[in-house]
Structure formats: C-alpha cells, structure tokens
Amino acid sequence: MKEQLIKRNDVPLEQTWDLTHIFKDEEAFQEAVDHMTDLAKQFKSNYEGKISQINETQELVDVIESYQEIMTLYMHTSGYSYLATQTDMSDSKAQNRLGTISMLGSQVMSSLSFFESELNVLDNDFLQQCAEKSKYRIFLEDIIKHKKHQLQPETEKVLQALQPVMSLPDNGYNITKLSDMRFFDFEANGKSYPLSFVQFENSYQVHPDTQVRREAFKQFSKDLRSYQNTIANYYNTQLKKEKIMANLRGFDSVFDYLLENQNVSIDLYHRQIDVILEELSVHMRKYAKKLQNKLGVETLYYSDLKAPYLKEENQTITYDEAQEMVIAALSILGEDYTNEVQRSFDERWIDWAGNLGKSTGGFCMSMKQQHPYILLSWNNGLSEVFTLAHEIGHAIQSVYTNRRYPNLFETKQSLYTIEAPSTLNEMLLSHYLLKDESLTQWVNATMIENTYYHNFVTHLLEAAFQREVYKCVDLGMDLQADDFNRLFNEQLTKFWGDSVDLDEGAELTWMRQPHYYMGLYSYTYSAGLTISTVMAQRIINEGQVAVDKWLNALSETESQKPLDFAKLVDIDLSTEKPLQETVAFIGSLIDSLE
Ligand SMILES: [Zn+2]
C-alpha cells in the first residue's frame, strides 16, 4: 500500500490559492512589469544627480513616494512570480518567469541605486527633520543609521547588479532540495513505503510506529548524505558572502552585520540562546525520559524525538473541521479579527493541497496593498491545525498593519518579533482545546511536540549551531560538510546529554532547514514565543483589556523596535525574566504529562 502524492494539475481548485487577486491574468502581470520599468527610467532621468540639492521637506517626500511606487510594483510582480513557483517546484515555466523578473528587478534596482547613495549626501539634520514631519520616519531613520556602512555609489551599483548571483546559495539550496533530491523507498514491518523530503518531514518523522519512524530516518539520512557536499558548498558560499559584506561595510564581526537590521543588541542575542540552552535542556531531558517510557523503547534515539507522545489519540482532522476550530479558538480576539480569518478561507488566500513538487511549508507571504498568501500541505493531523492557526497569525498581523500603514516605506518589521502573532494563535488554540478536559494530556503533549519543540528546541539548536558556525567564519575559517556535521553534533550532545542516543544522520540536520540562508533568523522564534506565551496568559486572564492592547500592538508590529513593541504590551525584554517564565511554563507542561 503506497501513499502517492497527486500531480499539481490534478489538485481541485478550492484547495489552491487565488493569485488572480494580485494580477488578473498574464497580460496584467506583463503590464505591471512594463509600468515598473517605465517608471524606473523616468525616475532615473528626473532625479539622478539632483537628490543632493533637495532642501524642501515636501520635495523629498514626493521623491520617496515615486520611488516607493516602483518598489511596490517590484514587490507585487516578484511576489506573484515567487508564489507561482512554490506550489510546484518542477514547473519550469514558473521558474523561468521568476528568473526573468529577478534579473529585471536587479537591473532596475541597480539603475536606481543612485537614490539611496545620494540621500546619504543630505545632511542628518535635514533628514531627521523630514523623518519627523512625514510618514516615512522609519525609512529616513534607516538611511541615517546605515550611512556609515554605505559604500561608494559606483560600488553600491555593482553590488545591486550582482544581486541574482548573490542569491545563488539560497536558490541552489532550494532547487537541490526540492527538485533534485531523490529518496528511495524503505521497508518496515514487511511493507514498502515511498519517501520524499516532504513525506519525511510531514509524516514519517512523527509516525507513531517506531519501526516505520526509524527505518524512514535511516533511509532519509542515507539519501540526504549523498548531497552533503553540494549543500555544504552552497552554505559555505553563503557564509563567505556574508563575511565579505560585513568586511566591506565596515562591521567588526559578521554578527554585528547580521543583527543590524533587527535593532537588537548582541547581548540580547547571546542571552536568548544561553538561557534556553541551559535552562530548557533540563526540562527537555525529562521529556525525553517520559517519551522513552511512553514509547516503551530500550533506547531513545534522535529519530524518536518527534514521535507522538500519545499514540492512540492521533486523530484525523479534515481541513473544513480545522477551519471551524481555528475560528472558534480565535474568537476571543473579537469579531473583527475572526472576520478577517473567515475572509482568508472564503477568498482563497490559502493553498493547502498536498501535491508533488510542493515547497515544504507552511509559510505566509505578506505584501503591502495586497492580502497575504499562505502555503500548507494538509495531512489531516492535529499538528496541522496548529500550523494553520500559526500562519493565520502572520496573515492577520499583516492585515492589521496594512490597515494602519498602507505604504511600503512606512513600516519595517524586525525579525525579532515576527513570530509573536503567529505563536500567540497557537496558544489560543491550545487554550480552546483544553476546555475539553479529556484532551488535556493530548493538548499539553501537542504543545510540547509542536509549538515549543519546533520554536524552542529545533530552532534553538539551529541557532546554537549557527552561532558556532559564525564564530568560525569570523576567524576566517573555511567550512566543509564534515565541519558542519561535527558542529551540529556538538550542539545536540550539549543539549540532550545522555538522555538521547544520536543515531547516524542526526548530524545532517543542518541540511534540512532553509533558515541558514536568512541570516540570524532561527533564534528569533523563541523570542516571539516568549512574548506570546506571556501575552496569551494575560488575554485569557484579563480578557478585553489585554485583547485591546494586543490588537493595537498587532497594528504596530512593523513600526516599532523589538523592545518598544514588547513594551506596548508591558513586557520587558531587556531582562531574562520573560524568557525564564516561558521556560518554566514549558517545564510545567512537561510535568503535567503522565
Ligand atoms: Zn511563523
């Protein structure tokens, strides 16, 4: 009995997202592309060499607005092309279009790079004055801040033109993983099972049958290993690129370079990783022991860690049922919020089909002046309901900020808080499910298995690994597959101690996540979850007052620095306290498991 995935062409329409909301057809898309290139040409001929002479606030605001229009068009055309590739990575027509648009985009950006270079010539007082008087405060303050790291105009232009080459590591990684990687069938209990990257991540690694889970991991690791040098090469190239950019732009270390855009200090970054490594590992080792007993296995392997804690209650949930659950769980946030959630279902913002060649989801992509899009691969598990609630959290956050700040340059989100609105919804979903007492064990186990495991353990280990990698990079070391394997293994050992036996292949985990191509992203998952853990308790206990605060903060997520954002909901992230409270909360969930 083989579970076969269907081809993209055979997916029913209602399971797909509706991209015609961005462009109604190919012609409209092409028109937008042409419009963007025309506007860019005009912009260049109107303003090149003239920006430094601007001395009126309104004049500068008008230029920013014209620039913003071009960037918004680029965001829509590239976003549209990108989304079209994600539902079927083997669709070469969609890949070509994305390639063409990113090539064109880099030409446009390169031809307009004079703008930011010339803005740098304007004096800080004038820029600051414009920042305070216009809605482009964030954009202009960024210009002031980045001034000292800006290179000569000609150099910036060259770097812009090279953009498609700069994104090679990321693209190469994804294409290798999603189009080229082949996995062989494996056998367990005398049956043959087909294997793919998505199937392993979504089904087999969480399979309740120990033999299926372990055999799947064995085969998956074996096949994954044959790509380790290819992937290591992409990763190493990414690291070199970042180190070179950090040097060119005058940063002391690659950490400073990567953290600059997040508006957080290096202390906060280290504290986030250190506190969790040290304090959470104590609780997670206890969890490993409990899981070992529950599974009735002599040794708990790495490949067992994602096994469902409660085998028997691994129920099937349809997508329709999931929609109802999510609406009911989020109704505590009020009618306005749930109306938006309902819209996301009714207007097909979500692509939830499970088909061949689909990107490993889920993700949510937000764009200004458009509704967000969500990608999922529905597998009928309860954990998928959590993923749905999670992605909905990202989506509605962008709906709220777009309402208050409709323009591209009015806002900029720090990665540091990006996961707060999404994980808050997971908390509310679990709170809703806990109303049914018979579900307590199951919900608490699910919260650990999914929400906290994913955000606090998986991503923390990535972050801890990444930190070691960048330390080597700062020392000028050149890293290969063996080094990545060794560094990953060290972090796993440090965290799990002897509570888990690391079966062969555990060290390859660094090959599985695209996060390493996104800078210092992984550690932010736990930051967002810290805010949401504390906030969810308050929404549940205080009701409307806390809800109002949260919805207001939601509209401001992208306009605030991380610490200021947390302050809007009365959380002080400059201390260890919220983090320790969250770790203690995870500990209490683990203690509640029988
Ligand atoms: Zn997320």
Side-chain angles (χ1 to χ4, degrees):
M1 197 182 76
K2 287 191 174 188
E3 266 184 70
Q4 290 291 8
L5 286 172
I6 58 170
K7 289 208 181 87
R8 182 65 185 175
N9 286 338
D10 301 330
V11 171
L13 190 72
E14 67 271 15
Q15 299 187 15
T16 66
W17 54 30
D18 191 349
L19 295 182
T20 66
H21 297 165
I22 313 177
F23 296 112
K24 73 176 194 301
D25 51 27
E26 203 57 35
E27 204 181 322
F29 167 74
Q30 204 46 55
E31 267 170 33
V33 173
D34 295 341
H35 189 44
M36 171 181 78
T37 18
D38 289 346
L39 287 178
K41 272 183 207 141
Q42 269 174 38
F43 189 89
K44 189 174 162 69
S45 76
N46 289 350
Y47 301 116
E48 191 166 27
K50 294 177 190 146
I51 302 294
S52 58
Q53 291 135 39
I54 294 177
N55 51 21
E56 298 284 338
T57 311
Q58 191 52 46
E59 203 184 343
L60 185 61
V61 168
D62 291 343
V63 186
I64 296 174
E65 240 145 56
S66 309
Y67 184 63
Q68 178 178 258
E69 193 185 351
I70 302 167
M71 292 304 127
T72 306
L73 277 167
Y74 178 53
M75 185 179 61
H76 290 167
T77 49
S78 62
Y80 176 79
S81 309
Y82 174 76
L83 288 172
T85 61
Q86 295 303 296
T87 48
D88 185 2
M89 298 298 285
S90 66
D91 181 347
S92 52
K93 213 176 127 205
Q95 290 288 357
N96 285 343
R97 185 171 56 191
L98 180 62
T100 310
I101 192 77
S102 54
M103 196 65 206
L104 186 68
S106 79
Q107 283 163 9
V108 167
M109 302 292 241
S110 167
S111 74
L112 300 185
S113 67
F114 74 89
F115 180 52
E116 294 203 21
S117 301
E118 288 188 36
L119 281 177
N120 284 317
V121 179
L122 291 170
D123 83 39
N124 280 357
D125 290 344
F126 175 61
L127 288 171
Q128 192 60 50
Q129 183 195 326
C130 296
E132 276 151 26
K133 278 198 202 155
S134 74
K135 55 188 174 190
Y136 298 115
R137 182 179 58 84
I138 291 179
F139 176 77
L140 288 166
E141 284 181 354
D142 254 11
I143 297 283
I144 298 171
K145 191 175 141 196
H146 292 153
K147 255 186 176 182
K148 61 175 185 288
H149 298 297
Q150 203 70 13
L151 304 172
Q152 293 298 316
E154 274 309 309
T155 316
E156 289 292 344
K157 204 166 157 183
V158 172
L159 287 175
Q160 274 302 338
L162 281 171
Q163 213 46 52
V165 183
M166 302 284 212
S167 54
L168 174 81
D170 189 10
N171 291 342
Y173 170 75
N174 279 308
I175 288 174
T176 305
K177 175 172 141 182
L178 300 165
S179 300
D180 284 354
M181 277 191 188
R182 289 287 170 269
F183 295 90
F184 291 94
D185 293 4
F186 67 92
E187 268 187 40
N189 307 316
K191 259 173 37 181
S192 171
Y193 294 82
L195 186 62
S196 73
F197 203 101
V198 179
Q199 280 169 312
F200 178 76
E201 294 261 334
N202 287 358
S203 309
Y204 297 129
Q205 71 167 344
V206 293
H207 205 285
D209 186 309
T210 298
Q211 209 191 341
V212 172
R213 206 172 49 241
R214 289 180 182 176
E215 289 304 319
F217 183 75
K218 221 178 258 170
Q219 187 63 42
F220 178 75
S221 301
K222 188 173 167 225
D223 295 332
L224 193 64
R225 193 182 300 281
S226 52
Y227 299 90
Q228 65 173 344
N229 296 315
T230 306
I231 302 290
N233 187 41
Y234 285 130
Y235 187 23
N236 186 25
T237 308
Q238 171 75 10
L239 297 168
K240 279 192 184 135
K241 176 183 85 180
E242 287 166 335
K243 183 59 187 167
I244 291 168
M245 292 307 290
N247 285 344
L248 281 177
R249 295 199 179 281
F251 289 92
D252 291 338
S253 82
V254 71
F255 291 100
D256 294 332
Y257 166 67
L258 294 169
L259 284 175
E260 213 226 356
N261 267 322
Q262 293 183 19
N263 277 317
V264 300
S265 69
I266 188 112
D267 300 352
L268 191 141
Y269 164 79
H270 285 306
R271 183 170 64 231
Q272 194 82 23
I273 297 174
D274 292 337
V275 170
I276 304 177
L277 261 185
E278 200 165 303
E279 299 191 11
L280 184 65
S281 57
V282 181
H283 297 298
M284 288 313 294
R285 289 176 193 190
K286 259 196 243 166
Y287 176 70
K289 279 280 164 266
K290 286 191 170 192
L291 183 62
Q292 184 180 356
N293 289 334
K294 203 78 184 173
L295 294 174
V297 291
E298 215 162 286
T299 310
L300 188 81
Y301 288 106
Y302 182 72
S303 54
D304 293 323
L305 279 168
K306 301 209 93 184
Y309 192 80
L310 299 170
K311 217 187 236 186
E312 60 277 15
E313 269 150 309
N314 204 347
Q315 48 179 299
T316 296
I317 292 157
T318 67
Y319 183 66
D320 285 344
E321 288 165 343
Q323 291 186 333
E324 280 170 34
M325 285 162 84
V326 167
I327 292 270
L330 301 181
S331 63
I332 193 169
L333 294 175
E335 211 184 308
D336 184 61
Y337 192 96
T338 45
N339 282 345
E340 293 298 332
V341 178
Q342 191 60 50
R343 271 185 67 205
S344 77
F345 299 146
D346 297 344
E347 298 176 10
R348 289 174 46 219
W349 299 2
I350 304 170
D351 198 293
W352 54 277
N355 60 262
L356 277 170
K358 198 167 182 175
S359 157
T360 47
F363 69 73
C364 171
M365 187 165 126
S366 310
M367 283 174 275
K368 287 285 180 187
Q369 293 157 22
Q370 295 287 350
H371 66 69
Y373 283 89
I374 292 173
L375 181 137
L376 303 170
S377 296
W378 197 257
N379 70 3
N380 296 320
L382 183 83
S383 66
E384 281 292 293
V385 189
F386 279 90
T387 312
L388 177 64
H390 178 105
E391 300 306 337
I392 288 281
H394 286 304
I396 310 303
Q397 179 270 330
S398 89
V399 170
Y400 271 69
T401 1
N402 282 356
R403 266 192 215 165
R404 199 171 285 180
Y405 302 102
N407 298 309
L408 187 58
F409 293 156
E410 286 177 282
T411 59
K412 193 184 95 182
Q413 182 149 31
S414 166
L415 277 180
Y416 192 77
T417 48
I418 219 162
E419 293 298 335
S422 50
T423 49
L424 181 101
N425 284 5
E426 295 187 45
M427 308 289 148
L428 296 180
L429 177 63
S430 80
H431 174 69
Y432 166 77
L433 295 171
L434 283 174
K435 285 180 182 148
D436 179 349
E437 244 175 67
S438 67
L439 287 178
T440 309
Q441 283 292 302
W442 180 70
V443 169
N444 287 352
T446 306
M447 284 301 283
I448 296 164
E449 282 164 22
N450 295 295
T451 306
Y452 287 108
Y453 198 100
H454 186 68
N455 293 290
F456 262 80
V457 181
T458 306
H459 291 315
L460 168 83
L461 289 168
E462 280 171 28
F465 161 74
Q466 209 183 15
R467 182 165 69 170
E468 297 312 308
V469 167
Y470 282 122
K471 279 183 196 165
C472 297
V473 170
D474 263 341
L475 292 173
M477 287 163 70
D478 194 65
L479 301 169
Q480 305 302 330
D482 284 350
D483 303 304
F484 295 132
N485 290 344
R486 178 178 45 81
L487 289 171
F488 206 93
N489 233 329
E490 281 170 13
Q491 295 310 309
L492 286 175
T493 308
K494 199 167 164 188
F495 188 79
W496 292 108
D498 53 13
S499 66
V500 176
D501 206 306
L502 301 176
D503 35 359
E504 215 182 307
E507 74 283 5
L508 299 174
T509 308
W510 61 271
M511 293 174 67
R512 292 166 52 181
Q513 286 286 349
H515 293 135
Y516 306 118
Y517 302 86
M518 302 174 189
L520 297 175
Y521 183 32
S522 298
Y523 91 100
T524 66
Y525 277 87
S526 56
L529 194 52
T530 301
I531 296 175
S532 60
T533 301
V534 177
M535 199 57 212
Q537 294 312 311
R538 284 188 25 216
I539 287 178
I540 290 158
N541 297 333
E542 296 167 21
Q544 202 55 45
V545 184
V547 170
D548 290 342
K549 270 214 160 151
W550 178 246
L551 294 185
N552 174 57
L554 213 49
S555 307
E556 295 289 343
T557 21
E558 299 176 19
S559 68
Q560 304 286 329
K561 292 177 181 157
L563 296 193
D564 297 338
F565 167 73
K567 268 188 211 144
L568 287 177
V569 287
D570 311 318
I571 296 172
D572 185 3
L573 286 180
S574 66
T575 71
E576 297 186 343
K577 197 168 154 268
L579 202 53
Q580 285 169 329
E581 267 177 44
T582 305
V583 170
F585 179 73
I586 302 172
S588 74
L589 287 179
I590 291 170
D591 289 341
S592 81
L593 295 179
E594 284 155 3

